[in-house]
Amino acid sequence: MAGSVFGTMFKISTWGESHGKGIGVVVDGCPAGIPLCEEDIQVYLNRRRPGQNRYTTARSEADAVEIMSGVFEGKTTGTPISLIVLNKDQRSRDYGSISELYRPGHADYPYDMKYGFRDYRGGGRSSGRETIGRVAAGAIAMKMLSELGITVKAYVSAIGPVSIDRSRMDLSLTEESPLRMPDLDATERAQQYLEECMRALDSSGGVVECVAEHLPAGLGEPVFDKLDANLARAVMSIGAVKAVEIGDGTLVSSRRGSQNNDGYTTDAEGKPVKASNHSGGILGGISDGAPLFLRASFKPTASIAQVQTMLGRDGKCHDESIHGRHDPLIVTRAVVVVEAMTALTIADHLLMAMSSKMENIKKVYGADNGTDQ
């Protein structure tokens, strides 16, 4: 199976299945000298792990990460960093009744058509559990970004018909909300809506927004490796994401240029700043120094307990329900996944941008940085 590698210079390769022995990732191209321990990664995995509350799957996994290589005496060595998380609470028997059926909304049928084989136990590589590798690698990218003062923060802005009120939005409340909504009133209304969905044996979609601040201007490779293009690819690669918007997104199509253009001015120190940020911090595929903003729309969880008509490998239709433990919505646990893919993309572009100007090369290899030190 191709397609499990992401990045150009800060590169990751994920592996493992939902009901296999474990899930993992190899991170290649991470600079040496970054302080890193398992707890630095675990805090991110804890935000993704199942069983957090009644709005997440009841699968009981500690998702404890082990660093297998690439770290010595508490710092990255510049060699590949290998991470592993063992699966502990698989219940493959829950999927026996649908082993020959194609579940609605799942990748079962296209997988079977592509490979002539599929892992029906929780979806295999198409399971949301695959994101463990992304989050673990993203935690390392976050450590690199923190060394530069760059922050990446995501949150849930909508669940079904319930959206946050931006006049009440407070990002410091995000982790206080069981739904990771930075508006506690919206959280309460969304919980009521989810209770209705759960009583109906149904699920809900939602929206995750992400803001990255303190990025330098100049990240992004024009034409095919634009920063926004690679961000869209990164976030769109997360299972269940059906749309990605940068900045004001689809709203810009209804505006005039005079309404949408981001003009420049200067701050108190005389530095260029934008008077508005409709572009979401990216112009011409290159970061412009303003906060980077993106939005990801997630479909409802495909695994629901209602009886549904499913096509079988025998070519006949069968009425069957999906058993097992599934999230009534994905976005709450997907917040940290969006953060991870955003951080990985930014880290990769930071390394690529270092070679874009001769003055950058001189800072590393110039006369003032001789090898006799």
Side-chain angles (χ1 to χ4, degrees), residues 4-324:
S4 293
V5 177
F6 177 82
T8 300
M9 296 187 69
F10 195 105
K11 185 175 293 187
I12 72 169
S13 178
T14 68
W15 56 269
E17 296 82 36
S18 176
H19 284 235
K21 290 187 176 181
I23 298 279
V25 63
V26 176
V27 180
D28 202 2
C30 178
I34 298 175
L36 185 68
C37 64
E38 287 163 347
E39 182 55 30
D40 294 326
I41 300 168
Q42 194 64 52
V43 293
Y44 288 91
L45 289 174
N46 288 347
R47 293 169 59 206
R48 196 223 68 93
R49 69 178 176 81
Q52 297 179 41
N53 53 53
R54 65 181 275 97
Y55 305 112
T56 63
T57 172
R59 179 169 174 169
S60 179
E61 296 280 5
D63 286 351
V65 66
E66 292 183 66
I67 298 176
M68 310 298 288
S69 66
V71 177
F72 180 64
E73 294 184 341
K75 290 188 178 181
T76 57
T77 63
T79 59
I81 303 170
S82 182
L83 308 171
I84 186 171
V85 170
L86 296 177
N87 293 328
K88 300 289 188 181
D89 190 31
Q90 312 98 307
R91 285 197 341 208
S92 302
R93 63 184 181 276
D94 289 341
Y95 297 89
S97 64
I98 57 171
S99 61
E100 297 296 313
L101 303 178
Y102 300 126
R103 296 168 296 174
H106 283 74
D108 298 345
Y109 178 74
Y111 258 69
D112 208 357
M113 294 303 99
K114 181 173 178 65
Y115 299 107
F117 176 84
R118 70 181 176 93
D119 185 346
Y120 60 83
R121 307 165 304 165
R125 282 293 280 168
S126 66
S127 167
R129 193 153 177 78
E130 171 269 330
T131 60
I132 284 176
R134 299 169 184 249
V135 173
I140 298 174
M142 287 283 201
K143 287 286 288 187
M144 174 179 159
L145 300 188
S146 68
E147 296 275 315
L148 301 170
I150 297 171
T151 60
V152 179
K153 181 65 178 177
Y155 52 89
V156 175
S157 64
I159 293 175
V162 181
S163 298
I164 61 173
D165 182 338
R166 297 189 186 275
S167 68
R168 288 197 301 266
M169 178 176 166
D170 182 351
L171 288 181
S172 68
L173 299 176
T174 302
E175 292 303 315
E176 292 184 26
S177 164
L179 302 178
R180 295 202 165 94
M181 302 182 86
D183 173 355
L184 297 185
D185 179 70
T187 295
E188 184 176 342
R189 289 184 287 114
Q191 286 177 300
Q192 294 172 359
Y193 169 72
L194 287 173
E195 294 294 336
E196 294 175 11
C197 291
M198 293 164 69
R199 285 194 294 270
L201 305 180
D202 218 336
S203 60
S204 175
V207 178
V208 173
E209 294 178 349
C210 186
V211 180
E213 296 188 285
H214 312 301
L215 268 69
L219 301 184
E221 304 299 318
V223 191
F224 297 119
D225 281 326
K226 290 180 169 72
L227 179 58
D228 46 0
N230 284 358
L231 280 167
R233 173 177 178 253
V235 176
M236 197 75 185
S237 74
I238 302 170
V241 172
K242 302 304 293 182
V244 177
E245 298 176 82
I246 307 292
D248 288 354
T250 58
L251 291 176
V252 303
S253 63
S254 63
R255 296 185 183 138
R256 297 186 179 190
S258 57
Q259 298 171 311
N260 193 69
N261 287 345
D262 292 321
Y264 282 90
T265 182
T266 55
D267 61 15
E269 299 177 354
K271 297 179 180 178
V273 293
K274 290 164 62 179
S276 58
N277 192 26
H278 302 301
S279 69
I282 303 174
L283 290 168
I286 303 172
S287 63
D288 58 25
L292 185 155
F293 179 86
L294 65 84
R295 179 184 298 106
S297 298
F298 286 76
K299 70 176 185 178
T301 312
S303 292
I304 58 176
Q306 290 183 16
V307 174
Q308 301 176 87
T309 299
M310 304 183 194
L311 177 66
R313 298 183 81 181
D314 58 6
K316 299 178 182 179
C317 290
H318 305 260
D319 290 334
E320 184 63 74
S321 61
I322 299 174
H323 304 289

